[in-house]
Amino acid sequence: MFSRQFLEELPQRFTGPGRFRFLLQPMIAIVLGVRGGRTDARVGNPPYLFGLLFGAGHIGELLRSGVTAVRNLVALGIIMDLVFQLVLYHSVHPGAALLVGPIFIAFPYAMSRALTTRLRRAMAKT
């Protein structure tokens, strides 16, 4: 997965054909995270990351809702990465696709969901 070839090809992923997906996927993940954060604030769930780490009663529910929200986006990201590998390098490295796709979705989703929950609660207090 972290072979020398993977590390050498990594910069080409951001500059070659398909680079727009590295903007589009995180943007969609942020929109989904904001939507989830608004729901969390409305129903009284803890902020997403805090709930995952420390919310014993809510971990399963939060994890399920997060996976449900981004599963299609993650699958699309993995498939897109595999297609672009085939087009650009004429070979496929599934480990790289399994790593690169979800990173550009999971982190923005989790952060935006947690921050939205906190902001909505702060706005409700004032």
Side-chain angles (χ1 to χ4, degrees), residues 33-57:
V34 167
R35 193 172 79 181
R38 291 175 65 188
T39 301
D40 288 343
R42 187 174 53 251
V43 299
N45 285 340
Y48 190 67
L49 294 174
F50 184 83
L52 285 178
L53 296 174
F54 305 110

Side-chain angles (χ1 to χ4, degrees), residues 52-125:
L52 285 178
L53 296 174
F54 305 110
H58 297 281
I59 292 174
E61 177 187 337
L62 289 173
L63 197 56
R64 231 181 338 276
S65 70
V67 168
T68 301
V70 298
R71 69 179 168 215
N72 293 336
L73 188 59
V74 169
L76 184 62
I78 292 169
I79 291 168
M80 286 173 66
D81 196 72
L82 289 170
V83 168
F84 282 109
Q85 284 181 34
L86 193 59
V87 169
L88 291 174
Y89 313 121
H90 307 290
S91 64
V92 174
H93 307 285
L98 291 172
L99 178 74
V100 172
I103 285 176
F104 282 96
I105 296 163
F107 181 74
Y109 174 80
M111 291 302 295
S112 64
R113 184 168 172 175
L115 291 173
T116 300
T117 304
R118 289 188 184 276
L119 287 173
R120 294 289 284 196
R121 286 197 181 145
M123 289 172 38
K125 289 181 183 179

